[in-house]
Amino acid sequence: MFEDLINFIIFILPCYVANATPVALSKIIPMKNPIDRGKKFIDGRRILGDGKTIEGFISGVIVGTLVGLILSFLGLHKLHVSFILALGAMIGDSLGSFIKRRVGIPRGKPFPIVDQVSFVIISLILANAIVFIPMRFYLYAVIITPPLHLGTNFIAYLLKLKEVPW
Ligand code: CTP
Ligand code: MG
């Protein structure tokens, strides 16, 4: 059970790292090109909002995949799978923002559950297209990710990487 959890955490690491990268890098590299190009959806609200940038998306995919590359050298991961996990994380994160805008939650305001699990669930679903993902991994993701996400966001807040602790 414990070993299984460790295996899961190693497997999902490219996804977590991808998700955390834009937050950290946005303090060093200016990220100002919104994926939605400032466009609004049919409901009059932004499609994704200014919190989802092209720079953030690409840097997340690159850094997440790099972590997968290191893990693959150690024989702990597969490079192509880590790439899909990182890509899935950024797609899922964007999808989360799309949902937030549709229900009227402004950029940067918290939306519990969606903020914490959208990136990891979409990441696993995408990875499932190229490698078998055991059902319990989805369960682990849902259980482990929210406390981990809140914890890392709080650390990012303390380090002044984030303005709000969520
Ligand atoms: N970020 C980015 N590009 C992305 C994802 C994140 O530039 N594709 C950066 C933005 O500076 C963003 C920060 O990372 O503000 C934190 O990410 P997140 O919490 O996901 O975005 P929010 O600003 O909270 O926006 P939303 O309400 O849409 O989630
Ligand atoms: Mg946020």
Side-chain angles (χ1 to χ4, degrees):
M1 175 66 189
F2 184 68
E3 202 191 317
D4 200 37
L5 263 178
I6 299 293
N7 285 336
F8 169 74
I9 291 170
I10 292 169
F11 179 78
I12 206 69
L13 212 56
C15 162
Y16 283 164
V17 170
N19 190 251
T21 297
V23 190
L25 278 187
S26 63
K27 301 294 151 185
I28 314 163
I29 304 165
M31 299 200 176
K32 49 192 180 201
N33 292 292
I35 297 169
D36 67 8
R37 292 279 168 197
K39 290 200 190 77
K40 293 190 168 90
F41 197 62
I42 42 168
D43 55 10
R45 300 192 187 103
R46 285 286 295 277
I47 301 173
L48 299 177
D50 288 332
K52 300 295 113 117
T53 67
I54 296 169
E55 297 91 331
F57 190 103
I58 293 173
S59 65
V61 175
I62 292 174
V63 179
T65 307
L66 279 177
V67 166
L69 181 69
I70 295 166
L71 291 174
S72 74
F73 287 148
L74 300 171
L76 296 170
H77 221 304
K78 293 194 174 75
L79 184 60
H80 65 295
V81 178
S82 61
F83 168 72
I84 296 296
L85 283 169
L87 180 67
M90 300 324 288
I91 293 173
D93 175 55
S94 303
L95 181 69
S97 293
F98 179 79
I99 294 168
K100 286 172 77 173
R101 299 303 89 83
R102 301 294 70 75
V103 297
I105 297 168
R107 176 251 167 119
K109 290 283 173 289
F111 190 15
I113 313 214
V114 168
D115 274 343
Q116 287 95 40
V117 304
S118 63
F119 78 94
V120 71
I121 293 298
I122 298 298
S123 181
L124 284 173
I125 290 173
L126 260 195
N128 189 57
I130 56 164
V131 68
F132 175 71
I133 307 286
M135 210 56 210
R136 63 183 188 283
F137 274 23
Y138 294 92
L139 197 69
Y140 291 165
V142 170
I143 296 168
I144 296 170
T145 311
L148 207 73
H149 200 251
L150 290 173
T152 51
N153 278 351
F154 192 69
I155 292 167
Y157 168 73
L158 293 178
L159 294 172
K160 301 205 174 358
L161 291 172
K162 268 181 88 84
E163 325 244 294
V164 287
W166 53 76

